């Protein structure tokens, strides 16, 4: 029984990564440069942005969970068909270029071999240091599936609620776990602590790797070194109230995803803008980071626009990139919308 759950958990890991690549590939080749790395990183933001747009209205209007599950499966089916019909040649070309380029292939295997081991280690870590939070993150999707509601059952008492918890109304990451549980019968204990943990560690490593490539002018070997130095600095600067604690022990939690993944992602997207060769990719990444961040944690409503502003305003002033101001304003629209909605709630 346990082995079956683990195998289902491994399948979901590949479904997540494949889903990110497929959603990222919906953009033109000009944006993602036909790079698996670029597709996966921007695809994560687009994937959870789309889920937020689909799930939040259903949560507010108290739809049954099965409606959301069917809708999301249908949506991802449409994404798959769209790629099959309109992006098939690009995906084949992308895979062919990756396999033919020895440097890309070697560095890719080296990355997966090293960061993948760290991901597995954290995926099998059973020490989370927070029984209360773990009970919420795991209990809420379980109670939602049991009651076939979207967070209308209290995960601690089992009592039905009049409405979802207002403080967490904008957050939908726990609903996503409930959808996966209902669709694949994969318990959130495995999906969150194993599958999602491994996926998030791999994504974090990919963002660091991409950041190293951008910092060192396309040098992939230096990108690998930068990735591991960054990880080692993080892991050897442990603080129970810091990012290192969230990354190592509570990887899948909303606060953790906001603190270690989104902050690194926005900096990497900014580097894409700064280097200019990938500025379209960077701007779209920042826009969808602002749109999807609130799905994980309310803190994202505040820290994402602050970090984007701190990075982009000095860049525009120092380098006189005044045309970038319009793109900056557009990228702030999701952040302003979520902030306004949060205040109203």
């Amino acid at each position: 029984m346990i082995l079956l759950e683990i195998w289902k958990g491994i399948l979901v890991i590949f479904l997540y990564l494949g889903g990110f690549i497929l959603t990222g590939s919906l953009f033109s080749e000009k944006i993602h440069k036909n790079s698996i790395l670029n597709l996966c990183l921007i695809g994560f933001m687009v994937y959870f942005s789309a889920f937020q747009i689909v799930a939040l209205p259903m949560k507010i209007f108290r739809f049954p969970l099965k409606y959301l599950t069917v809708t999301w499966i249908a949506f991802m089916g449409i994404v798959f068909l769209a790629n099959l019909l309109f992006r098939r040649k690009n995906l084949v070309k992308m895979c062919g270029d990756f396999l033919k380029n020895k440097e890309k292939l070697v560095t890719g295997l080296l990355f997966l071999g090293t960061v993948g081991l760290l991901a597995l280690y954290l995926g099998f870590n059973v020490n989370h240091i927070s029984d209360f939070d773990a009970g919420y993150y795991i209990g809420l999707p379980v109670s939602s599936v049991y009651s076939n509601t979207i967070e209308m059952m209290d995960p601690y008492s089992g009592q039905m609620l009049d409405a979802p918890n207002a403080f967490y109304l904008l957050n939908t990451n726990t609903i996503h776990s409930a959808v996966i549980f209902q669709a694949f019968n994969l318990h959130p204990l495995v999906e969150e602590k194993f599958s999602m943990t491994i996926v998030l560690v791999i994504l974090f490593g990919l963002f660091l790797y991409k950041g190293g490539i951008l910092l060192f002018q396309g040098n992939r070997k230096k990108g690998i070194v930068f990735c591991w130095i960054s990880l080692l600095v993080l892991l050897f600067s442990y603080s129970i109230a810091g990012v290192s604690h969230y990354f190592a022990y509570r990887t899948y939690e909303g606060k953790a995803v906001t603190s270690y993944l989104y902050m690194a992602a926005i900096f990497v997207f900014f580097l894409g803008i700064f280097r200019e060769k990938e500025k379209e990719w960077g701007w779209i990444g920042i826009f969808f980071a602002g749109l999807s961040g609130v799905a994980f944690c309310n803190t994202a409503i505040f820290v994402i626009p602050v970090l984007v502003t701190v990075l982009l305003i000095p860049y525009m002033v120092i380098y006189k990139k005044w045309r970038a101001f319009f793109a900056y304003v557009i990228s702030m629209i999701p952040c302003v919308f979520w902030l306004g909605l949060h205040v109203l709630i």
Side-chain angles (χ1 to χ4, degrees):
M1 186 67 179
I2 296 175
L3 285 176
L4 177 61
E5 289 295 298
I6 293 296
W7 279 113
K8 284 196 291 185
I10 293 171
L11 172 63
V12 166
I13 291 171
F14 286 103
L15 287 176
Y16 277 150
L17 295 175
F20 301 157
I21 291 172
L22 290 177
T23 50
S25 68
L26 294 176
F27 294 99
S28 70
E29 187 177 345
K30 180 183 177 182
I31 292 169
H32 52 68
K33 312 296 184 186
N34 242 20
S35 164
I36 296 177
L37 178 60
N38 287 350
L39 288 175
C40 194
L41 296 183
I42 202 171
F44 171 82
M45 301 298 172
V46 178
Y47 179 94
F48 280 101
S49 294
F51 186 79
Q52 177 76 357
I53 292 169
V54 171
L56 184 59
M58 291 191 175
K59 182 178 181 179
I60 293 172
F61 293 107
R62 305 173 195 177
F63 280 47
L65 178 65
K66 64 181 179 182
Y67 287 12
L68 175 58
T69 302
V70 171
T71 302
W72 189 243
I73 291 173
F75 173 79
M76 290 307 298
I78 292 170
V79 170
F80 177 77
L81 287 174
N83 276 275
L84 200 62
L85 294 173
F86 306 111
R87 291 284 186 264
R88 183 176 66 256
K89 291 182 180 179
N90 284 347
L91 290 172
V92 171
K93 182 177 181 296
M94 176 186 66
C95 293
D97 291 344
F98 178 77
L99 293 173
K100 289 178 183 178
N101 189 316
K102 291 184 179 180
E103 185 183 5
K104 283 185 179 180
L105 186 59
V106 170
T107 53
L109 292 174
L110 181 62
F111 170 85
L112 290 175
T114 53
V115 175
L117 288 175
L118 175 63
L120 278 173
Y121 177 75
L122 295 181
F124 282 106
N125 178 28
V126 296
N127 187 1
H128 49 76
I129 314 183
S130 176
D131 292 326
F132 186 85
D133 280 1
Y136 171 80
Y137 278 102
I138 295 169
L140 195 55
V142 172
S143 63
S144 294
V145 172
Y146 178 80
S147 61
N148 192 32
T149 64
I150 299 178
E151 301 185 354
M152 292 291 291
M153 176 182 278
D154 185 276
Y156 302 116
S157 66
Q159 294 182 340
M160 297 302 297
L161 306 172
D162 295 328
N165 189 318
F167 184 78
Y168 300 110
L169 185 64
L170 298 180
N171 310 145
T172 58
N173 65 315
T174 45
I175 305 175
H176 187 268
S177 295
V179 167
I180 297 299
F181 187 16
Q182 195 169 62
F184 298 101
N185 195 28
L186 179 65
H187 198 282
L189 189 64
V190 178
E191 186 270 333
E192 294 187 31
K193 286 184 169 290
F194 179 73
S195 303
M196 184 56 80
T197 293
I198 289 175
V199 168
L200 290 170
V201 173
I202 291 173
L203 280 170
F204 182 52
L206 286 172
F207 271 115
L208 293 177
Y209 174 49
K210 180 66 178 181
I213 291 174
L214 290 169
L215 284 171
F216 296 104
Q217 304 288 344
N219 190 311
R220 297 179 182 278
K221 293 178 182 178
K222 289 182 180 180
I224 288 282
V225 174
F226 175 81
C227 171
W228 266 105
I229 289 176
S230 301
L231 285 170
L232 290 171
V233 169
L234 179 64
L235 293 173
F236 283 90
S237 58
Y238 177 78
S239 167
I240 197 167
V243 175
S244 55
H245 168 77
Y246 282 118
F247 175 66
Y249 290 100
R250 301 162 74 172
T251 318
Y252 62 90
E253 293 184 11
K255 296 182 291 292
V257 176
T258 302
S259 64
Y260 71 82
L261 186 67
Y262 271 83
M263 297 299 96
I266 289 169
F267 181 69
V268 173
F269 290 137
F270 165 73
L271 288 176
I273 296 168
F274 181 77
R275 292 300 185 194
E276 295 195 343
K277 290 183 179 180
E278 298 191 65
K279 63 181 179 180
E280 293 88 357
W281 177 81
W283 282 117
I284 289 175
I286 286 177
F287 177 86
F288 282 103
L291 186 57
S292 64
V294 71
F296 293 93
C297 184
N298 289 335
T299 306
I301 299 173
F302 306 99
V303 297
I304 288 177
V306 169
L307 180 58
V308 171
T309 301
V310 166
L311 290 171
L312 286 173
I313 295 299
Y315 163 73
M316 289 185 284
V317 172
I318 293 171
Y319 293 95
K320 295 181 173 58
K321 300 290 185 179
W322 307 120
R323 291 183 180 179
F325 185 75
F326 180 68
Y328 164 74
V329 171
I330 293 176
S331 70
M332 286 291 101
I333 291 175
C335 301
V336 173
F337 176 77
W338 294 131
L339 180 60
L341 198 56
H342 180 70
V343 172
L344 288 174
I345 293 170

